[in-house]
Amino acid sequence: MLLKDKVAVITGGAGLNGLGFATARLMAAQGARVVVLDLAGAEPAAAAAQLGAGHLGWVADVTDKASCDAAAAAVLQAYGRIDVLVNNAGITQPAKTLDITGADYDRILDVSLRGTLYMSQAVLPAMQQQKSGSIVCISSVSAQRGGGILGGPHYSAAKAGVLGLARAMAREFGPDGIRINCITPGLIGTDIIKGKLTEEKKAEIAETIPLARLGRADDIGGACVFLASDLSLYCTGITLDVNGGMLIH
Ligand code: NAD
């Protein structure tokens, strides 16, 4: 068991087809006690129930600092420690530069970037006290290749911001024994792409990927388990590309 008795918090983890829930499932299978956080409409308690006994699901909005702080306090109350945080919550919008409104910009950046900051701020003091912790931030290949698949430039900017934020936090909190790393998924078949790409378009994209398929949620979940576990003890500030070879650089 790679995560025996570790307490893992996953934001945006309630969508049963999503990267967050796949990560929750794989972490639970490796012995972690998982706390799924998500918006009320996504029903995090129901998602956690699917993981079996000993896991929790609570409502938390990562764009709201008080909500993040309350969630972290509740995890500490329930389990007494926080070993792993996966900053997974994110939304996208296919939009061209000239069409992006201020409200679009705020909405997209708030969930991925502000949410990563607020939720990290909420768990870092406990990790500092423990002198250990692993934070995994879900960025995107869109940050590295300049979008071009689904999200608009504001999504690429949000995800590039996540890379910078995570690297700077990794430098700051390394001396406390806290590791902070990013994953840049390629195109993964989850609800985020639902209805946005035809089967024909997906097949066309798959042809351009060296591993000749779109990613699966478990492909990212496995990478999260690696970065959360002691297998990656000497990794901090890294960006782990999980994209089937879509971007090799
Ligand atoms: P998804 O839509 O299934 O999951 C996103 C989750 O975030 C949902 O459960 C949603 O309810 C939750 N969420 C949205 N706003 C929130 C908020 N304010 N507070 C808390 N939770 C909130 O999509 P997914 O594909 O599983 O995406 C997970 C992450 O992976 C996102 O950050 C996304 O940008 C990133 N990503 C996805 C892909 C892909 O191809 N699927 C590629 C690269 C990066």
Side-chain angles (χ1 to χ4, degrees):
M1 293 268 197
L2 290 171
L3 299 173
K4 180 127 185 58
D5 296 331
K6 301 265 190 204
V7 176
V9 177
I10 303 171
T11 70
L16 300 184
N17 300 318
L19 310 185
F21 187 73
T23 301
R25 196 169 28 72
L26 291 178
M27 287 190 172
Q30 290 296 331
R33 284 169 290 172
V34 175
V35 180
V36 171
L37 303 179
D38 212 313
L39 299 175
E43 301 189 24
Q50 297 231 6
L51 298 172
H55 308 287
L56 297 168
W58 290 323
V59 172
D61 179 345
V62 297
T63 68
D64 176 354
K65 184 152 174 54
S67 179
C68 294
D69 290 343
V75 178
L76 289 170
Q77 177 88 23
Y79 291 132
R81 55 187 297 115
I82 302 175
D83 299 291
V84 177
L85 167 66
V86 183
N87 283 310
N88 167 73
I91 55 174
T92 190
Q93 179 189 27
K96 300 274 186 210
T97 303
L98 297 180
D99 299 327
I100 298 168
T101 66
D104 293 335
Y105 178 93
D106 286 346
R107 211 163 47 83
I108 300 298
L109 271 86
D110 274 359
V111 181
S112 278
L113 188 49
R114 186 187 296 272
T116 295
L117 175 66
Y118 283 172
M119 204 54 226
S120 301
Q121 286 176 325
V123 305
L124 277 163
M127 290 182 171
Q128 277 182 305
Q129 273 195 356
Q130 294 162 197
K131 287 268 162 220
S132 71
S134 170
I135 299 180
V136 182
C137 302
I138 305 299
S139 173
S140 171
V141 71
S142 174
Q144 301 161 305
R145 51 166 266 162
I149 302 172
L150 263 186
H154 52 343
Y155 178 76
S156 298
K159 292 303 193 181
V162 168
L163 294 181
L165 175 63
R167 288 170 185 168
M169 292 195 298
R171 196 176 289 281
E172 186 176 342
F173 292 98
D176 291 311
I178 303 167
R179 302 183 296 107
I180 303 169
N181 295 293
C182 285
I183 294 173
T184 42
L187 188 60
I188 317 292
T190 69
D191 289 348
I192 215 170
I193 69 168
K194 215 174 178 177
K196 296 191 177 103
L197 290 174
T198 61
E199 289 307 314
E200 203 176 36
K201 183 72 190 165
K202 282 189 212 167
E204 215 174 272
I205 294 171
E207 270 181 31
T208 67
I209 299 174
L211 291 181
R213 65 169 174 86
L214 266 54
R216 303 180 188 114
D218 280 7
D219 295 327
I220 307 303
C224 286
V225 168
F226 167 69
L227 288 175
S229 78
D230 287 356
L231 288 180
S232 60
L233 266 187
Y234 202 48
C235 296
T236 198
I238 73 161
T239 302
L240 184 53
D241 292 350
V242 185
N243 61 27
M246 173 190 276
L247 181 76
I248 297 175
H249 57 117

